[in-house]
Amino acid sequence: MRPLACAPAVAALSLVLQVATPAALKTLPAPGGVHAPEPPAGAGAPAAHIPDRPADVPWVLRADRLVLHGSTFRGVVVVRTATGPERVLKFTARSLDFAGLDLTAGRGRTAARVRARPATTSTLKDEGVVTLYTRKLRGTLVGLGGAPLPADRTVTVTPDALPAWLPHPATPSRTITFENVTVSQVTRLSGDMTITGPPLGVTAG
């Protein structure tokens, strides 16, 4: 694994490197608030705590399947980022499951990426709820907590394109499931993410 090309990418991708391999904890510094304890012998990758703060570089989450357990759409909000205020989608959920996780932060030579092995599920949890702020969510909608699915299940959700089926804060929480999903321009994400077993690959720079 080659060192990252710039310091901002190191900070933003400390999560990626920590959940990828315990050895990364000894070779790369982690920003304040990020913690990934050494796992017990024989355990899989450790859980890494994701602080609820703006990302310095963009994160992109891809997955074969994404399940938002007990989720609620909180509307379009404005958050502060390194490049200024941005309008984003805000979701809260009891937990998030990512099957076939592929996580990238940064762009070009400063990007770092971790891919979980096929047929494994990575989980994001917190003591209360997890919170996701993102500019775009694209995928195939396959579950709405028992509610009827729209005729066109291939969806792209942005602050300027809110589908009618998207839950409102007044709507009871429900589990939403996507397949072949991309969550891009993630500005904030909070919780503890765990990748089961060794990842398929980690690249940086």
Side-chain angles (χ1 to χ4, degrees), residues 87-158:
R87 296 171 64 244
V88 297
L89 307 163
K90 179 181 179 180
F91 294 88
T92 58
R94 186 172 66 253
S95 63
L96 304 180
D97 286 343
F98 301 90
L101 176 69
D102 186 341
L103 172 62
T104 302
R107 297 187 181 94
R109 298 182 62 185
T110 65
R113 179 185 183 191
V114 62
R115 292 179 296 151
R117 291 185 177 275
T120 63
T121 299
S122 306
T123 301
L124 183 71
K125 295 182 178 180
D126 208 341
E127 293 182 358
V129 298
V130 297
T131 304
L132 167 67
Y133 297 85
T134 183
R135 287 289 307 277
K136 182 185 295 185
L137 190 155
R138 183 178 70 252
T140 302
L141 183 66
V142 297
L144 270 178
L149 294 171
D152 185 359
R153 296 188 295 126
T154 302
V155 299
T156 299
V157 186
T158 71

